[in-house]
Amino acid sequence: MHYSKLRISADATSKLRSLRQRTGVTPNLLCRMAIMLSLEEGPLGGAVIPDEDGSEFNAYTLTGEYAALIAALLRFVEEGHEPEAPLEDSMLLDRLRGHIHRGVGTLSVRAKSPADILRLLPAAA
């Protein structure tokens, strides 16, 4: 999955702004957390793909050195263990935006302070 920039939904952008004010965590790190939270919930299935009217992230800013890991996890969750037909890059990018959108929604409910962000981390971390 190759991309240089990714634009997220207006709703996710608004929630990220609020989360940043409450937690002090930058939007790119919040997006990484959101992706992982959403991937834990499973594939998006027939969920509507969110709009692209919000913030734009450079690929490296969004995923950093974890781009390959995030892409592999996304493929595994969305395609399954043994996919019949791999998803095209454009569809994977839509799913990535969908996971960011869903995960930011989850984060906006769970994270009211920096301490709430710490509670999301596994105990072993």
Side-chain angles (χ1 to χ4, degrees):
M1 177 176 73
H2 179 72
Y3 64 101
S4 58
K5 295 182 183 214
L6 184 77
R7 190 173 285 277
I8 63 173
S9 69
D11 183 49
T13 298
S14 174
K15 288 178 180 174
L16 282 171
R17 194 173 295 121
S18 176
L19 280 164
R20 182 179 185 160
Q21 290 173 345
R22 290 191 312 234
T23 65
V25 179
T26 60
N28 61 316
L29 295 178
L30 289 167
C31 282
R32 292 178 196 183
M33 288 181 229
I35 292 167
M36 293 299 119
L37 283 172
S38 182
L39 289 174
E40 277 186 332
E41 292 179 30
L44 293 173
V48 176
I49 301 301
D51 63 69
E52 295 182 60
D53 299 332
S55 296
E56 183 176 76
F57 290 93
N58 289 322
Y60 189 79
T61 302
L62 183 62
T63 57
E65 62 272 16
Y66 304 109
L69 175 64
I70 290 172
L73 289 170
L74 178 64
R75 274 198 186 278
F76 181 77
V77 168
E78 290 297 326
E79 295 176 347
H81 183 62
E82 294 182 23
E84 293 176 17
L87 294 172
E88 295 177 16
D89 279 358
S90 62
M91 291 186 74
L92 275 175
L93 289 174
D94 285 344
R95 303 279 174 95
L96 178 61
R97 286 188 304 106
H99 280 288
I100 291 170
H101 183 81
R102 180 168 75 176
V104 166
T106 301
L107 266 178
S108 69
V109 172
R110 291 186 185 178
K112 303 297 183 195
S113 70
D116 293 334
I117 295 289
L118 290 175
R119 287 187 194 99
L120 293 173
L121 299 175

